[in-house]
Amino acid sequence: MPTIIQSYVPTTGKIPQKITSPGVSVPTYAIDITETMADQDTSTAIIMSIAAIEGRDPLDLDPMFGDIETDSLNMLFNSPSNNLYVEFTTNGWNVQLHGSGEAIFERQISLSEASELNSEKSTA
């Protein structure tokens, strides 16, 4: 079973940084989306981050409005505050968004993928 990251790992810059931690087998990335949120809606910044992680065109991803109320998300983070925290799932990623603009993206994996990752780890 994959290990969930409990600690918050801040990064800077626009390129999602892969988080590596002992025992973590779920692809996890962190990015500071503050600059992107200043130019665009928060929901757009999230989609652009996922597209960057996956190396895909943002237009090829599913719209977020089926997963979370995007207008509310955008309004909530219109004036970021360090006290804000929202967690949701979209496009196969668990997203943890902090009021500071830091975002953590953790890939959802199936039970069969988790079993494969664990078996690969035990044979290494």
Side-chain angles (χ1 to χ4, degrees):
M1 180 156 236
T3 304
I4 304 296
I5 291 180
Q6 297 296 330
S7 60
Y8 174 61
V9 182
T11 63
T12 57
K14 293 185 178 183
I15 299 171
Q17 301 296 311
K18 188 165 188 171
I19 298 173
T20 55
S21 182
V24 176
S25 58
V26 177
T28 305
Y29 296 83
I31 185 171
D32 182 343
I33 61 172
T34 307
E35 289 179 33
T36 308
M37 288 188 327
D39 296 334
Q40 301 174 9
D41 291 332
T42 301
S43 57
T44 302
I46 296 293
I47 287 294
M48 290 177 63
S49 297
I50 292 172
I53 291 168
E54 294 183 356
R56 296 174 58 189
D57 185 325
L59 297 176
D60 291 340
L61 297 174
D62 292 331
M64 282 179 42
F65 59 78
D67 302 319
I68 190 169
E69 174 52 54
T70 54
D71 289 338
S72 296
L73 180 70
N74 295 334
M75 286 177 54
L76 186 63
F77 283 90
N78 196 24
S79 300
S81 163
N82 288 334
N83 297 328
L84 289 175
Y85 175 81
V86 174
E87 188 171 343
F88 59 95
T89 302
T90 187
N91 285 284
W93 291 89
N94 293 323
V95 179
Q96 301 168 29
L97 183 57
H98 299 262
S100 64
E102 296 287 332
I104 306 292
F105 298 87
E106 183 179 81
R107 186 74 175 149
Q108 288 184 312
I109 60 172
S110 68
L111 289 175
S112 61
E113 289 172 312
S115 293
E116 280 181 35
L117 286 171
N118 285 334
S119 67
E120 287 174 10
K121 214 162 119 178
S122 64
T123 60

